[in-house]
Amino acid sequence: MPTGHDAQVRALPVSPSTGALRPLDLHEVRVTGGFWSDFQQLNATVMIRHAEDWMERVGWIGNFDAAVEGRLPADRQGREFADSDVYKLMEAMAWEIGRTGDAELEARFQALVDRIEPVQEEDGYLNTHFGRPGQQPRYSDMEWGHELYCFGHLIQAGVARGRTHGRDRFVEIAIRAADHVCETFGPDGLDTICGHPEIEPALAELARYTGERKYLDQARLFVERRGHGRLGEIWFGPEYFQEDVPVREAEVLRGHAVRALYLAAGAIDVAVETGDEELIGAVTRQMSRTVARRTYLTGGMGAHHEGEAFGDDFELPSDRAYSETCAGVGAAMVGERLLLATGDPVHADLVERVLLNVVATSPSEDGHGFFYTNTLHQREPGTTAATDEVAARAASSLRAPWFAVSCCPTNVARTVASFGTYVATADDDGVQLQQLATAEVRTTLPDGCPVALDVETDYPHDGRVRVTVREDATRPWTLRVRVPGWATAGAVLRVDGEETTVLPGYAEVRRAFRAGDVVELDLPVRARWTWADPRVDAVRGQVAVERGPLVMALESTDLGEDVNLAAVDVEAAPVERDGQVLVRVRTAAPTERDWPFPAEPAHPDTVADAGLVPLVPYHRWGNRGPSTMRVWIPQA
Ligand SMILES: [Zn+2]
């Protein structure tokens, strides 16, 4: 493998050995305040514990005890992939312990390792759902069994642990599992793939962590095998698990959104480590078209409830948006990898959009409930989920504490715990601030030049980003601060009292920085109208409001009326007052008909001016009890 960056010991979920940019790790970036610090605090104090408690309660952690005690399959709880959520929880814990050194969390992590370790079999196999007397044989259901998917999450958790703590018992479990996968599915082994991609990015990252080429070769084998019809026919068709077209020949992401995104992430990892420009180009093109044609305003992906899948180009219905939280995590994974490979800040824009408007939407304000799907139009007020029951359906109308399939909460937890690794990148010429957050950035450029920056900002609520240099440079270097794609006018860079207008991309300052130097970026965080491409039929004639990077929503809690027939006056700009964004809304009473399609244009009978109505950031909707909500609002 090429060795540009030192990939082994860096505390990062994705640490390419080469590429345009090197990500700064958890030790180089400390998030110290503001939006993301609050979110990390909620994760550390509530969400991680919540997920752990629920998995004890529903028996998913207990499955490992049952395996040791010989009570399987009789006592097996949860779906076939339940082990994976325990591993995702452990990955979240590993990042959190790495971030804060929390001793109590470390003890809980060790207690989980104690319960998992004895379940691993002699040859490295580890799964509570397969292979015992009375259970299906190993690898007898590649379409739906999720065995390699579970290994993928185990390996990612192992890499997180190794990079934040060092090689220990848990890391060894993950490595033994990976060795087993390589032996079983290598060039001379079982010539097949898993119905749910995930092993691909995991093995590629393990190769980066250990320096062992065989894991990368296995990841590449899995990527290349897909798309040739190795898996059996299923109801959703081969597209569901990306078996319809080989990865390097596909033109767009399709099928099950989370599967497609995890596969894309793994394909980029393989391409970067093997210098496969063709493959990087293919995935970049697929992702560009997906963003241009198959992505919601929130960054959400997946328009179909059936198959949790991407729809056709421009098929983006608000009220049927699936937009799974995990697809948001997957989009951030892909965006971050493309950013590191290419250096193009447009990929960091996607990461920002999806983290703030999908990943941040999932948890409730108290951290005890989660959206699995993220609709952009709630037609009927939802029902408040019981706090002590598992929600049977993913498309729960309000946040629920836990789900029968509960992939999303732990995915949010591991992403939030590792958020610091999205903040900044470096190259030989300097440092780039990618995600705008209050943070301390401390690193060294390859020639030894020290970089110490304190970033202060109330972003995403305010557009002022103040960067203070804390150490003298030994030579000139370039500080770049990402100017998001939405900031098309009015962004200003201020250095030594001099102001320059900057455009989306990177705002740059190059000099031999001295301690005390201050660079300020002022982004035009103001409410603005957003329109849709007319080919997005579902929202034709409608507008949305965004404020900086945040998508806004109209919620019935603020309107006092059902929002379905609400319309906005777009002649007037959205108003900002006392920290609120307000728009002039008209409401209408519907006309009841026996047949909803009259021969004349259906004007509502009564239209009332509801005055200026506040909008809420989309990620905060549904926190004040059942409500209806819409992001796209008809123009009056
Ligand atoms: Zn999910």
Side-chain angles (χ1 to χ4, degrees), residues 425-432 445 451 475 477-480:
T425 54
D427 58 13
D428 290 352
D429 187 45
V431 165
Q432 305 80 36
L445 299 179
V451 173
R475 50 104 166 170
W477 60 273
T478 308
L479 170 65
R480 293 185 171 85

Side-chain angles (χ1 to χ4, degrees), residues 76-89:
R76 178 70 170 48
Q77 302 296 320
R79 293 285 300 271
E80 58 276 24
F81 38 74
D83 295 357
S84 70
D85 281 303
V86 180
Y87 304 145
K88 270 150 69 193
L89 168 70

Side-chain angles (χ1 to χ4, degrees), residues 130 135-143 145 147:
F130 287 92
Q135 292 184 324
Q136 286 173 265
R138 292 179 185 184
Y139 309 124
S140 57
D141 182 4
M142 294 311 292
E143 290 75 22
E147 286 156 287

Side-chain angles (χ1 to χ4, degrees), residues 464 490-502 520 522:
R464 175 81 51 97
V492 170
L493 183 71
R494 205 173 295 114
V495 190
D496 299 336
E498 264 189 47
E499 293 195 351
T500 16
T501 303
V502 285
E520 275 187 335
D522 234 329

Side-chain angles (χ1 to χ4, degrees), residues 104-311:
E104 193 261 342
L105 192 59
E106 170 71 21
R108 281 156 53 199
F109 183 90
Q110 289 301 335
L112 288 171
V113 178
D114 288 341
R115 293 162 76 179
I116 292 168
E117 190 176 35
V119 184
Q120 187 162 39
E121 298 178 35
E122 202 64 2
D123 65 351
Y125 186 81
L126 174 54
N127 190 295
T128 65
H129 190 69
F130 287 92
R132 291 170 191 77
Q135 292 184 324
Q136 286 173 265
R138 292 179 185 184
Y139 309 124
S140 57
D141 182 4
M142 294 311 292
E143 290 75 22
W144 299 110
H146 287 79
E147 286 156 287
L148 295 177
Y149 169 84
C150 289
F151 281 135
H153 282 300
L154 171 63
I155 292 164
Q156 285 184 332
V159 169
R161 178 65 176 173
R163 285 189 175 147
T164 51
H165 174 86
R167 219 160 144 155
D168 70 355
R169 279 192 303 152
F170 186 66
V171 180
E172 297 303 333
I173 293 171
I175 289 175
R176 278 198 298 275
D179 290 342
H180 159 79
V181 170
C182 292
E183 276 158 32
T184 311
F185 293 90
D188 304 321
L190 293 174
D191 180 16
T192 189
I193 52 174
C194 183
H196 199 315
E198 161 63 18
I199 189 72
E200 296 85 354
L203 284 173
E205 208 59 42
L206 186 65
R208 289 164 170 165
Y209 168 64
T210 59
E212 290 253 12
R213 173 88 199 194
K214 68 172 179 178
Y215 304 123
L216 177 63
D217 291 340
Q218 187 63 47
R220 190 180 57 185
L221 206 51
F222 283 137
V223 169
E224 300 291 2
R225 277 178 188 166
R226 194 170 297 265
H228 298 278
R230 282 180 170 80
L231 297 176
E233 275 187 35
I234 59 164
W235 168 258
F236 299 121
E239 177 178 292
Y240 175 81
F241 32 45
Q242 296 75 46
E243 266 279 79
D244 53 334
V245 186
V247 178
R248 63 178 73 238
E249 290 169 28
E251 291 174 355
V252 68
L253 299 193
R254 71 253 169 255
H256 186 274
V258 179
R259 282 171 166 80
L261 288 156
Y262 284 8
L263 177 63
I268 299 163
D269 291 335
V270 165
V272 165
E273 297 304 327
T274 58
D276 190 338
E277 295 293 334
E278 184 201 32
L279 185 55
I280 292 188
V283 179
T284 305
R285 281 193 302 279
Q286 291 161 30
M287 197 62 183
S288 298
R289 178 166 153 196
T290 302
V291 169
R293 297 175 174 226
R294 297 186 173 192
T295 301
Y296 284 99
L297 179 61
T298 53
M301 296 186 186
H304 287 186
H305 282 238
E306 182 175 272
E308 306 179 301
F310 284 103

